[in-house]
Amino acid sequence: MDLTFNKNEDHNKLKLSELRRRLAEVKLGGGKKRIEKLHAQGKMSSRERIDYLLDKNAPVIEIGAFAGDGMYAEHGGCPSGGVVVKIGYVKGKQCVVVANDATVKAGAWFPITGKKNLRAQEIAMENKLPIIYLVDSAGVYLPMQDEIFPDKEHFGRIFRNNAIMSSMGITQIAAVMGSCVAGGAYLPIMSDEALIVDKTGSIFLAGSYLVKAAIGESIDNETLGGATTHSEISGVTDYKAADDKDALDKIKNIVDKIGDFEKAGYNRIDAKSPIDNPEDIYGLLPSSRSDQYDMLEIIKRLVDNSEFEQYKEGYGKTILTGYARIDGWAVGIVANQRKVVKTKQGEMQFGGVIYSDSADKATRFIANCNQKKIPLVFLQDVTGFMVGSKSEHGGIIKDGAKMVNAVSNSVVPKFTIVIGNSYGAGNYAMCGKAYDPRLIVAWPSAELAVMSGNSAAKVLLQIEKASLEKNGEPLDPEKEKALFAKIKQRYDDQISPYYAAARLWTDAIIDPLDTRKWISMGIEAANHAPIEKQFNLGVLQV
């Protein structure tokens, strides 16, 4: 291996170490003391509950671990958005599990909590997966109620989705394992089956203090809405559990009886490991986002047998398209080629840039995959579409629009991996979050923004400089340099994959070696939901 490979490997493994350190921090939720307090109450933590529920030694992926990261500092923070969401297996059946983290503001809902819960429900609805709610929440976080309560994508949408999923025949099971108050009380009762844990679980629209203030009635919370009340008097819940483990065992027994599902029929054979060593990815991926590399070498380390059948190999070379298998599943791959390539006419094209011919090729390939019912995988490392008079005169906007149209109207499941750059309209054309990928994840090397930090800082500096000069405050070279550094730092913070993950622009930041698992579990989930509409591009400017 050469020196560049070793430097890249060191850089990317440091990034991976940072990822693992930050994951360890968010997994503590509100901290060890609050977890110990739960244990003293006879309760398990949210993560302990999920770990106990899911099948041991089976694959699992976590959605939104970094949700809320670095946000709400003035309110004490909200690790993982105050809720843990995982896709795993219960009695061999793939399920979505959502568990409130009572160590974070008693499980109260921040704005990002609502967004994350809706994302979990979206995954369940798109893939027709059973969804299990482990409820332990104080309800809406009142200091921020105006950002979580009334809008279309706020708290109330959760219960609307409960009703829609019920009409779709998607199994929903809820266990009340702590507080379940006010509007939040509707979630378990709008599920198909509801459990409640004795002595620790409670459900009511208003607690004892509010009842006293509102109607003058004196009553304790247990009598008002405890397990015995709702299991034997109101009939609100279906099962009464002795403790957390008993409730989780009951859920396992319920899931165990669910019948088989109608399959979408995506092609799968026995899985094969890549022949080329996947760990080479750390050395192949450059430490600088502006450096060139061969995306084909990355693909070979992600796909079964390192076999990739290229489509239109000699045409539109800044996008790689072709067929492969990942963990046995047939996939169509659309990837940005990150090295400078030469056309048949002898012209040089920049890596990571989408040209007219590349967009045309990708559009046709996406249509082919829809025709053949093959899931699509997008590997993003894109700086955008080619600019300049030659590209504009050649109709780059038209060709780019065709590609965006194909991505938008695709009916097969799409999965997006942000490997490096994800800038501007390139993010859109390569199936960014706005284009409904079933799952979208980033490697630690990813950057998401309108443009790179360096380019954006130059633009913003010119605007700032012109404004200062207009006010008679010209900048000397030293001050200009300092202002540029300040602007770039602010922008660089925003293009970090952690900034994106905190806002759920991506579902996770992952070790590159986990990419195969995410895609495989994603296609398995999508296989629960047969395609119900035809692929149609609509009107195209040809």
Side-chain angles (χ1 to χ4, degrees), residues 284-337:
L284 293 167
L285 196 64
S287 56
S288 170
R289 293 279 58 77
S290 60
D291 287 352
Q292 303 284 303
Y293 64 96
D294 190 351
M295 180 64 83
L296 185 58
E297 294 302 316
I298 300 292
I299 292 172
K300 287 179 180 178
R301 286 155 178 83
L302 294 176
V303 301
D304 290 16
N305 270 339
S306 298
E307 294 174 350
F308 180 56
E309 185 69 32
Q310 285 204 56
Y311 170 84
K312 287 184 177 288
E313 182 177 355
Y315 178 73
K317 293 182 179 180
T318 65
I319 285 184
L320 299 171
T321 53
Y323 303 105
R325 290 189 182 274
I326 293 179
D327 199 34
W329 294 103
V331 297
I333 294 176
V334 181
N336 301 113
Q337 176 56 288

Side-chain angles (χ1 to χ4, degrees), residues 222-271:
E222 183 64 24
T223 306
L224 181 66
T228 299
T229 295
H230 287 309
S231 298
E232 300 177 18
I233 300 174
S234 72
V236 163
T237 54
D238 305 307
Y239 307 91
K240 179 178 168 181
D243 54 27
D244 281 7
K245 287 187 176 180
D246 186 35
L248 297 169
D249 286 336
K250 289 180 187 298
I251 293 173
K252 292 180 186 182
N253 290 333
I254 294 168
V255 173
D256 190 40
K257 311 300 187 296
I258 297 173
D260 203 359
F261 57 91
E262 184 182 353
K263 295 172 179 64
Y266 302 119
N267 185 301
R268 191 182 198 186
I269 62 174
D270 290 341

Side-chain angles (χ1 to χ4, degrees), residues 157-391:
R157 189 78 170 182
I158 303 290
F159 316 127
R160 175 262 188 195
N161 286 350
N162 287 143
I164 297 297
M165 280 192 280
S166 184
S167 72
M168 293 171 67
I170 297 170
T171 298
Q172 299 176 84
I173 302 167
V176 179
M177 311 180 83
S179 296
C180 184
V181 301
Y186 288 105
L187 184 145
I189 312 312
M190 294 190 73
S191 299
D192 300 334
E193 297 186 81
L195 305 84
I196 187 167
V197 178
D198 196 22
K199 299 297 185 287
T200 57
S202 58
I203 311 172
F204 34 67
L205 295 180
S208 56
Y209 292 126
L210 186 53
V211 168
K212 176 68 174 177
I215 63 173
E217 181 183 3
S218 295
I219 188 170
D220 64 88
N221 283 338
E222 183 64 24
T223 306
L224 181 66
T228 299
T229 295
H230 287 309
S231 298
E232 300 177 18
I233 300 174
S234 72
V236 163
T237 54
D238 305 307
Y239 307 91
K240 179 178 168 181
D243 54 27
D244 281 7
K245 287 187 176 180
D246 186 35
L248 297 169
D249 286 336
K250 289 180 187 298
I251 293 173
K252 292 180 186 182
N253 290 333
I254 294 168
V255 173
D256 190 40
K257 311 300 187 296
I258 297 173
D260 203 359
F261 57 91
E262 184 182 353
K263 295 172 179 64
Y266 302 119
N267 185 301
R268 191 182 198 186
I269 62 174
D270 290 341
K272 303 288 185 184
S273 298
I275 292 174
D276 294 334
N277 187 0
E279 292 202 9
D280 289 348
I281 289 172
Y282 302 127
L284 293 167
L285 196 64
S287 56
S288 170
R289 293 279 58 77
S290 60
D291 287 352
Q292 303 284 303
Y293 64 96
D294 190 351
M295 180 64 83
L296 185 58
E297 294 302 316
I298 300 292
I299 292 172
K300 287 179 180 178
R301 286 155 178 83
L302 294 176
V303 301
D304 290 16
N305 270 339
S306 298
E307 294 174 350
F308 180 56
E309 185 69 32
Q310 285 204 56
Y311 170 84
K312 287 184 177 288
E313 182 177 355
Y315 178 73
K317 293 182 179 180
T318 65
I319 285 184
L320 299 171
T321 53
Y323 303 105
R325 290 189 182 274
I326 293 179
D327 199 34
W329 294 103
V331 297
I333 294 176
V334 181
N336 301 113
Q337 176 56 288
R338 283 293 284 127
K339 68 176 184 178
V340 173
V341 298
K342 183 185 282 190
T343 68
K344 294 282 183 169
Q345 293 74 33
E347 296 177 348
M348 303 305 291
Q349 293 184 341
F350 297 107
V353 179
I354 302 175
Y355 290 78
S356 285
D357 54 356
S358 305
D360 176 66
K361 176 171 86 170
T363 301
R364 289 182 57 110
F365 181 70
I366 290 166
N368 277 344
C369 287
N370 275 271
Q371 186 88 343
K372 299 182 180 75
K373 205 161 74 171
I374 300 173
L376 284 160
V377 174
F378 292 83
L379 303 179
Q380 284 194 8
D381 195 342
V382 58
T383 53
F385 286 88
M386 191 58 191
V387 297
S389 60
K390 185 175 181 180
S391 292

Side-chain angles (χ1 to χ4, degrees), residues 2-14 280-288 291-293:
D2 61 21
L3 184 60
T4 300
F5 184 97
N6 292 335
K7 285 182 177 179
N8 290 339
E9 186 175 42
D10 289 344
H11 174 84
N12 287 310
K13 287 193 173 180
L14 281 173
D280 289 348
I281 289 172
Y282 302 127
L284 293 167
L285 196 64
S287 56
S288 170
D291 287 352
Q292 303 284 303
Y293 64 96

